[in-house]
Every structure is written in structure tokens, then in C-alpha cells.
Amino acid sequence: MNDVLANENVKRLPGDVRVPGDRPQTSGVLHLGAGAFHRAHQAVYTDDTDWGITVAAPSSRGVIDALAAQDGLFTVATLGPEGADMRVIGSIVDTLHVATERERALDLVAAETTHVVTLTVTEKAYRDPRGVPGLLAEGLARRAARHGAPLTVLCCDNLPDNGRTTRAAVEPLLDGADKTGATRAWAEEHVTFPSSMVDRIVPASTPATYERALAGLGVADLAAVEAEPFTQWVIEDDFAGPRPDWDATFTDDVAGWERLKLRTLNGVHSTLAYLGALADVETVSETLALPGAEDFARWLIAEQIAPSLTPPDGQDTVAYGESVLERFANPGIRHRCVQIAMDGSQKLPQRLFATIADLAEAGVDLDLIALPLAAWTRFCAGRSDSGAELPLDDPLRDVIRRNLAAAGSDPAARVDAILGLDLVPAAVADHHQLRRAAAKWLRELDRHGVATTLEHL
Ligand code: CS2
């Protein structure tokens, strides 16, 4: 038997591993971003249909090389309380490395056989016109000029109004794509950008992921991922042409779901990530087990997050929050705090500052929600409570560090240094009670550390 997962050995894998049936021959979906989340989410939904995906990696090629060596096959290990359940996914039929195969990438955006382009390229990618938005604009110009068949561009990143955000990143670049404005006019008629809310906890794969795959399959799988049992996809029903028959929820109102998920799940996730990293704790589930942490998360949801939003019909923010905390506690999932902590400047506007802005407008007391702000401020300085170094992996790293250095050691000045960043809305930056409360929490964290602060809340 071949020693890596491949078409030729997939039918001979151990009987408890679910394997794909007939694999699709062509890909109507072009997906940008080959990360673990895509493989455990959209690729799985697509595996339940008869469509195929060409997965494109914008820059780093490790994953697509592994996929290419395995005929596109990879395993998702679903880790629940009762152990792992393994499934081989066969929906990826081709791979592409954008940095070295740009022409092919543009041709695929333009191809008449491509009906949907899906995206998981992280929050910050939408701000770089030379990156993914530029690629899409150029590909759309080619499509308009060649045959003009409609296309759906479906963002699956954790951004509010993610369809509109994608459109806003791409549309201005269309003007530069030709001299007559024809591409832009065509795109207005033939390209849609539905919003979607995606949800599944999928930590970055580690050596343990590959060892688990090898043990379960009997062959190596260097594109394996692991994920929690829960999965959800809510999509705005606005497709320009054909689409796979995904088992997702299609609706006209994604905004309510996005807000609920970004503020509750992702907001509490980031909060726990900064607290856990400062407390020298490795994972979210271990952070939640710190004395006082779960109670704090519960208060935060009930007293700050719930009053900031109207959940979608039939949903209750506190009950949703309870199910989120249960998912975070899953001991099978080792989701590292420092992974979630990265790119805070790109994540916190929709996870934390939007909540604060709405609470401020409603005149709600902001004491509890000032604690995650204080935790991020302390995290950005780069030292945990024990003095260990913490990575500040963030596109605004330099300006954050410069502002903090200028602020010195005074907690109020450090909070102001963070609130002075452009990404913070004025309603948040100028809020006196928030600033006072955050400075108070930062003083507590400086003096006593996260563990003691949480325990004595
Ligand atoms: C996490 C998300 O890394 C992060 O920032 O908060 O990836 C989270 O796990 C997913 O959004 C869950 O759907």
C-alpha cells in the first residue's frame, strides 16, 4: 500500500473511516485560502454534494503541496467527548498556488465552468488591494471580456457584513481593470457577493493531528485537520448562477446571525485567548477551567453582549452563549490561546468594539467589558504574568508597540495608547467610564495577574 493517503488506497482504509464515493471530475467552486478552517468546513459541506473545489493558496504552499501529493484527499477528525471520528474528504479535485501561478488563478476566476468563488483569507486580506481583492478584480475583468457568465463571490471570513465588505474591497479596483468602466457595469449586473456566517472550531493542525491521522488510517495524511462536532453555515440567498446543494441555512437575513456569532462566540473566544495567554495557559478549554473564568464569561454574555444585539428569530443570546461555552470546554479540542490572539487589531473591531459602541449608545455600564480591553492592552506589551514572552502577531504591531512605549507604565496612559489606534471607533475611544474601568482592570492585572483577578471577581 502507498504510504500516503491517495485514490489508490482510499477504499482499503480501516472500516470505521468514512470515505468519499465517486469523486467529482470538475470544480465549479474556486476556493481561495487553504487553511484548516476551509478543509473542515466548506470542503466538508461540498463533499456532501456532487460539486468539486479547486483550492488556491494565496502565498504559502505547504498545504496545497500535501493535498496535491494525496490526490486532494485529506481527513477530518471530529473530536467529541466520545473520542475521534474520522472522515476522508474528496471534494478537492485540484490545487493552485496563486503566487507562482497567477495566470492560472485569473483564468479560473474567468472560467465559464467556475460558478462560485469562496474565500477564507483572514480578516486582514480584504485591506490589501494588491492581494486577494486585486486578483478578483483582474479575474472579473477577464471574465467580463471573455463571456460574461454570472459569478458568485462568497466570503467565509469572520467579518460583519462580509459580502458587502468583499464587494467594497473589489469594486473600486474594477475601474482600473479597463478604461471604459465596462467591467464595473458588467459586474454590477452579473456578480453577487452574498454574506455568510460560518462556524466550526478548527484549531491549526499540529504534529499530534498528523499522528492521529496516521494511527487511524494506517497511511500518512499531511493535510489532516481536526475539528469539533458542531458545524453551521448561514448564507444569504443571493447567488448569481448555479451553486452546490450545500446543507446550509439559506436566508435573507444573515446580519443577525453574524452579529450573534461574532460578538458572542468570537468575542468571548478572543477574551479568553488574551486572559489565557497572560495566565500562561495554553488552550481555551484550560483557560475556561481557571477559577472564576467561566462565571466571568457568563456575566460578560448576559450583561454586556446580550444587551448589545437583537438575535435572529428564535434565538436567545444567553442560551446561545451557554452552548458556545460548552463547545469551548470540549477537552478534545486543543485550541491554542496564542493562535486566537493573533491579529487582534483586525478582529476586535467586530468582536469587541462594536459591542461596546452599541452599549455606550444605550447607556449601559461598561465595567465588565473593560476587562477584555485591559487584557488585550497588557497582551500587546508582550509579557505574560510570569514574564514569559508572548508573540504579538498583528499587522499593526509596530504602531501598537510604539504607542505603548510612549505611554510608559501608567495604566490609564496605556489604555489611551490602545484606544488611540485608528481601528477604535470614537464612541469607544472617548468613553470616560470605559477608559477608567479599563485602567482599573489593567492595574489589577499588573499587580495580581489574570488568575487572581478572575478568582476575586
Ligand atoms: C477564532 C475563530 O481564531 C479565531 O479568531 O475565534 O477561528 C473561531 O474558532 C471560529 O470563528 C469558530 O467558528
Side-chain angles (χ1 to χ4, degrees), residues 115-118 150-154 190-194 238-242:
H115 300 293
V116 184
V117 176
T118 51
L151 184 72
T152 304
V153 179
L154 178 58
H190 297 93
V191 184
T192 60
F193 294 84
D238 182 22
F239 284 77

Side-chain angles (χ1 to χ4, degrees), residues 37 158 198-201 261 265-266 269 335 339-340 347 351:
F37 183 76
N158 283 316
V198 291
D199 191 8
R200 189 170 194 188
I201 293 175
K261 193 244 169 180
L265 186 148
N266 296 111
H269 225 190
H335 207 173
Q339 188 198 338
I340 299 156
K347 293 174 174 176
R351 297 180 179 204

Side-chain angles (χ1 to χ4, degrees), residues 377 403-404 406-420 439 442-443:
T377 306
N403 287 5
L404 281 176
S409 61
D410 175 49
R414 282 149 65 207
V415 166
D416 282 351
I418 290 291
L419 291 178
L442 187 51
R443 198 168 294 116

Side-chain angles (χ1 to χ4, degrees), residues 173-208:
L173 307 176
L174 294 175
D175 287 334
D178 65 66
K179 292 196 176 56
T180 62
T183 302
R184 190 172 181 142
W186 168 81
E188 272 167 20
E189 286 283 301
H190 297 93
V191 184
T192 60
F193 294 84
S195 283
S196 80
M197 182 279 253
V198 291
D199 191 8
R200 189 170 194 188
I201 293 175
V202 189
S205 297
T206 65

